[in-house]
Amino acid sequence: MGEGGSSLDVVMFPWLAFGHMIPFLELSKRLAARGHTVTFLSTPRNLARLPPVPTSLSDRLLLQPLPMPTVEGLPEGAESTADVTPDKDEIVKKACDGLAVPFAAFLAGRREAAGLDHCRLLPPLAPIIPAAMNALFGPRWANAQYPRTAPEDFTVPPKWIPFPSTIAFRRREVEWIAGAFKPNSSGLPDTERFWRTEERCRLIINRSCHEFEPQLFDFLTGLFRKPTVPAGILPLTNLVTDDDDEEATADRSEVLQWLDGQPPKSVIYVALGNEAPLTDNNLHELALGLELAGLRFLWALRNPTAGGVLPDGFEQRMRGRGVVWRRWVPQVGAFLTHCGWGSTIEGIVFGQPLVMLPLVVDQGIIARAMAERGVGVEIARDESDGSFDRDGVAAAVRRVTVGGEREAFAGNAKNIKDAVGDQERKEQFISYSPNDCFHERACALLQGHDLSGTMVCNISQMPTHTGSA
């Protein structure tokens, strides 16, 4: 749409995981800042835990709750994947299916309020995963033509990728992707949900950019036979902090004071997300590896699945050299990460070299891409069971932070930061002008359609309901 066109009425409905909800909220802010009306849908507890909407956008960005269905096996009060252990994710998908009825009622109410005879949906599929994962999943037709039936089939790039590629899983990682092609307790395979959503959409939008994933967007447009465009990397416009909590503010001040007392670029920041499936042994080996590396560290240990039982005496021995922190903390000199896409983007935005410990889902694919770009290294793992030890942790940390390759890793990280960090280009990704970056294909797709009064339903890997709603 040109600058003189009508504003859009956008509905965002992301999958019930904070790694999806937070970037969708960032996209919502950017659209609302351009004068579009955005309604962000989720369940009450999820909305309450999201960062507050800036006052300047509150008249155009509305957080709308939908009641969380009661599902057998889902703990009371659980409304996102952060509230359950990984083995219960499938129950969250089943609960999300139950949101189809209140979602349909919401749309009907908006249609009636707008005085429309019908409510036209133009649903793009908007994954928060990198475009490489779309290439790995592939459309239904490609999987039918090139079936993958054994775990080993996922350790090489799919046959529909015509150029040299590292888009493949390692043997230790294939259990998840092979399982995604099989029905789970929610009743549907994850791939079937992906395909149904993709087949119903008119375009695909990825949280990525050409600079980060060159040649993939043109390729995916042909593979999925519909425009596949980048939204940019959508870095956070503000940190998720407890700004109204005086105790939290004092705690953050204490962390910053400790950091200020360390030499520049001497501290490695360790964070493995809120849902990392770490066993007690994983946690111990990681801790002892950091101790063995002999470097300063700041470890954000917010919500480890294993309960956060560190080795006896670890924190006392590390006093003065390392801090284990259980609140939000700022990025520092280098980053030990699980390579969740959101965390990786945060590292990219701050130009940090990476020590990588991918754990689940797409994290291995992301780690491979980062290693290929010379941004960092993976911690050595046993290929049969994925285990790692303190010596592998220490070796990877030293290689990135004090080894002979340190300057190369830091330089490559800065180069990527510079390539994706141009503010004007980031803003262009969200523009609707045919002359801007959000792109000729998407604009050509929407040209000729009267979008006034139209609702655009943006679904990020949301489980697709099997009924008409």
Side-chain angles (χ1 to χ4, degrees):
M1 295 176 60
E3 292 181 1
S6 301
S7 64
L8 296 177
D9 190 354
V10 181
V11 174
M12 297 283 189
F13 197 170
W15 165 233
L16 304 180
F18 283 94
H20 293 239
M21 288 183 277
I22 289 175
F24 263 79
L25 185 59
E26 289 302 312
L27 180 57
S28 300
K29 292 176 185 176
R30 285 162 169 78
L31 292 174
R34 284 160 176 75
H36 303 294
T37 300
V38 184
T39 304
F40 187 100
L41 299 175
S42 194
T43 60
R45 187 162 184 253
N46 288 335
L47 294 180
R49 290 182 288 179
L50 288 172
V53 174
T55 304
S56 60
L57 302 178
S58 58
D59 60 335
R60 293 188 300 278
L61 175 51
L62 173 67
L63 303 184
Q64 176 68 39
L66 296 178
M68 184 70 172
T70 300
V71 176
E72 184 178 356
L74 189 67
E76 184 178 356
E79 297 187 4
S80 77
T81 56
D83 301 323
V84 298
T85 53
D87 60 300
K88 292 188 181 293
D89 277 0
E90 296 171 3
I91 303 177
V92 178
K93 294 171 187 174
K94 193 173 182 179
C96 197
D97 287 342
L99 290 173
V101 172
F103 176 65
F106 166 80
L107 292 180
R110 290 293 289 272
R111 178 189 64 192
E112 182 178 353
L116 299 174
D117 293 331
H118 67 284
C119 181
R120 180 149 39 101
L121 289 174
L122 301 176
L125 169 64
I128 55 85
I129 56 178
M133 281 300 290
N134 286 22
L136 191 145
F137 272 121
R140 192 189 301 271
W141 71 264
N143 281 271
Q145 186 170 340
Y146 303 104
R148 294 172 289 183
T149 57
E152 291 74 19
D153 295 336
F154 298 95
T155 62
V156 294
K159 292 181 179 179
W160 52 78
I161 297 181
F163 46 81
S165 173
T166 59
I167 300 175
F169 285 99
R170 289 188 172 155
R171 184 63 184 86
R172 66 172 187 264
E173 299 166 337
V174 296
E175 182 179 351
W176 173 82
I177 186 65
F181 284 77
K182 301 174 183 177
N184 53 51
S185 60
S186 71
L188 285 175
D190 289 342
T191 48
E192 179 64 24
R193 295 177 182 274
F194 175 82
W195 290 333
R196 290 186 186 185
T197 308
E198 177 268 314
E199 289 161 357
R200 296 173 184 178
C201 75
R202 293 192 177 188
L203 72 156
I204 300 172
I205 307 169
N206 273 93
R207 186 190 185 189
S208 187
C209 60
H210 290 291
E211 292 84 354
F212 187 76
E213 298 187 279
Q215 80 184 123
L216 271 183
F217 289 97
D218 286 340
F219 165 67
L220 289 173
T221 292
L223 180 68
F224 284 94
R225 299 168 180 170
K226 62 191 64 179
T228 301
V229 298
I233 59 174
L234 299 173
L236 290 177
T237 53
N238 59 295
L239 294 176
V240 184
T241 58
D242 302 313
D243 290 329
D244 296 328
D245 186 335
E246 292 183 2
E247 180 182 353
T249 301
D251 286 343
R252 286 195 300 276
S253 177
E254 182 182 337
V255 172
L256 292 173
Q257 288 177 14
W258 181 83
L259 286 171
D260 286 342
Q262 313 307 316
K265 303 293 184 181
S266 67
V267 178
I268 183 167
Y269 174 48
V270 183
L272 301 176
N274 291 333
E275 302 172 34
L278 290 174
T279 64
D280 283 330
N281 185 65
N282 288 157
L283 201 65
H284 282 209
E285 291 301 312
L286 181 57
L288 296 173
L290 291 170
E291 181 175 359
L292 186 62
L295 299 168
R296 298 171 177 84
F297 65 86
L298 178 60
W299 187 354
L301 189 64
R302 298 187 69 198
N303 185 28
T305 304
V309 181
L310 293 169
D312 289 342
F314 173 75
E315 292 187 68
Q316 289 75 21
R317 294 195 303 274
M318 295 299 97
R319 186 167 294 153
R321 177 163 73 81
V323 174
V324 178
W325 207 251
R326 291 175 172 84
R327 287 188 183 271
W328 185 270
V329 293
Q331 288 277 24
V332 286
F335 188 9
L336 195 161
T337 174
H338 63 311
C339 280
W341 191 218
S343 295
T344 303
I345 284 173
E346 189 177 354
I348 289 170
V349 168
F350 284 91
Q352 302 298 339
L354 305 176
V355 179
M356 298 175 285
L357 184 64
L359 298 170
V360 292
V361 195
D362 58 346
Q363 294 164 9
I365 299 295
I366 295 168
R368 234 98 324 131
M370 292 291 100
E372 187 177 24
R373 286 161 177 77
V375 175
V377 298
E378 283 190 61
I379 291 172
R381 308 276 285 277
D382 185 290
E383 283 302 312
S384 62
D385 62 9
S387 62
F388 60 91
D389 61 28
R390 65 198 72 175
D391 293 319
V393 173
V397 168
R398 287 171 180 156
R399 185 178 170 191
V400 170
T401 57
V402 297
E405 299 171 274
R406 173 185 177 182
E407 293 303 319
F409 290 132
N412 292 334
K414 182 181 184 301
N415 289 340
I416 292 183
K417 172 189 175 181
D418 292 343
V420 303
D422 180 78
Q423 187 63 33
E424 182 178 352
R425 181 160 176 77
K426 285 190 294 187
E427 293 303 314
Q428 284 180 335
F429 279 117
I430 313 300
S431 174
Y432 280 84
S433 168
N435 297 320
D436 286 331
C437 246
F438 184 88
H439 269 313
E440 287 100 356
R441 290 190 184 91
C443 294
L445 175 74
L446 298 177
Q447 267 184 353
H449 293 275
D450 177 11
L451 296 182
S452 59
T454 298
M455 302 183 68
V456 179
C457 178
N458 227 342
I459 303 181
S460 167
Q461 286 201 327
M462 175 189 167
T464 305
H465 184 58
T466 56
S468 59

